[in-house]
Amino acid sequence: MIPDVEELLVQRLRDRDESAMTLFYDKYSAALYGVILRIVKTEEVAEDVLQEGLVKIWHSFASYDPSKGRLFTWVLNVCRNLAIDKIRSRQYRVSSRTQPLEDSAALRQAAVPTFRPEHIGLQEMTNKLNPEQKQVIDLLYFGGFTQSEVAEELNLPLGTVKTRARAAIKVLSKLIR
């Protein structure tokens, strides 16, 4: 955009001109969506973040200061920060770990003919752990949680989770030998 047109758009947005928001959307939404999609990796989430970003831009437009940078730079930072906040959120991390099996790449990949999952038996070995250790191991290794997330989920101190995990791994290593 040439600066005069951008200045006019900024002024119209400051004046809360809704038709200016339509023009803004037409000019910038594709670029913003592309940046958001690169961060969040899924189209549905990218669309949600873009919508949140546009609402935030509309409501906080008074905080835009043209002397600190161009309009596009400011809106790009607003949307980028929202996308980063989204992938850091607990809800996003849990939902990304729990995708339906039919969406999983594992179902589309053929196992090598010599692979026999029943010979591994690791999940069955965890049944020999005490219930507290089994709960921690199930969340860590089969649920994809981090130790901090397990601590939060079970309402336990992080040190307790680490101790239980370490003890469970010792028991499992003896069973494997």
Side-chain angles (χ1 to χ4, degrees):
M1 265 178 144
I2 57 177
D4 294 332
V5 175
E6 184 173 298
E7 288 172 18
L8 180 62
L9 179 59
V10 168
Q11 188 55 50
R12 287 178 62 194
L13 289 168
R14 282 197 195 289
D15 294 340
R16 311 298 286 163
D17 180 350
E18 291 180 17
S19 63
M21 193 61 183
T22 303
L23 177 63
F24 171 86
Y25 180 84
D26 292 343
K27 291 239 179 248
Y28 296 120
S29 64
L32 295 172
Y33 177 79
V35 170
I36 293 167
L37 182 61
R38 272 188 260 137
I39 295 169
V40 299
K41 308 279 191 261
T42 59
E43 291 180 6
E44 184 179 326
V45 175
E47 290 167 4
D48 289 345
V49 171
L50 177 60
Q51 183 175 355
E52 287 174 44
L54 294 172
V55 169
K56 184 171 185 168
I57 289 163
W58 177 253
H59 289 296
S60 64
F61 198 79
S63 68
Y64 168 62
D65 182 358
S67 69
K68 292 184 179 176
R70 299 202 53 182
L71 177 61
F72 182 73
T73 305
W74 181 72
V75 297
L76 182 66
N77 282 325
V78 168
C79 291
R80 186 176 128 308
N81 290 340
L82 282 173
I84 291 168
D85 289 346
K86 176 61 93 177
I87 63 172
R88 287 181 178 166
S89 74
R90 178 170 168 75
Q91 176 189 4
Y92 177 83
R93 287 181 297 165
V94 169
S95 69
S96 66
R97 273 198 308 266
T98 57
Q99 64 176 323
L101 281 176
E102 53 272 5
D103 295 345
S104 171
L107 285 181
R108 293 186 292 274
Q109 261 180 332
V112 293
T114 57
F115 178 68
R116 301 299 245 211
E118 63 274 9
H119 291 146
I120 296 173
L122 183 60
Q123 198 150 17
E124 289 76 23
M125 283 186 205
T126 62
N127 291 331
K128 296 182 177 161
L129 298 171
N130 73 42
E132 294 171 336
Q133 292 172 339
K134 182 177 180 353
Q135 188 178 35
V136 168
I137 293 298
D138 284 348
L139 289 173
L140 284 172
Y141 294 98
F142 303 117
F145 284 61
T146 65
Q147 289 181 333
S148 299
E149 290 168 338
V150 171
E152 188 177 320
E153 181 77 20
L154 299 178
N155 199 22
L156 293 170
L158 181 59
T160 302
V161 170
K162 290 180 177 191
T163 300
R164 288 180 185 174
R166 196 169 26 255
I169 290 170
K170 278 185 181 180
V171 171
L172 291 172
S173 69
K174 288 179 184 172
L175 291 172
I176 291 172
R177 290 182 199 151

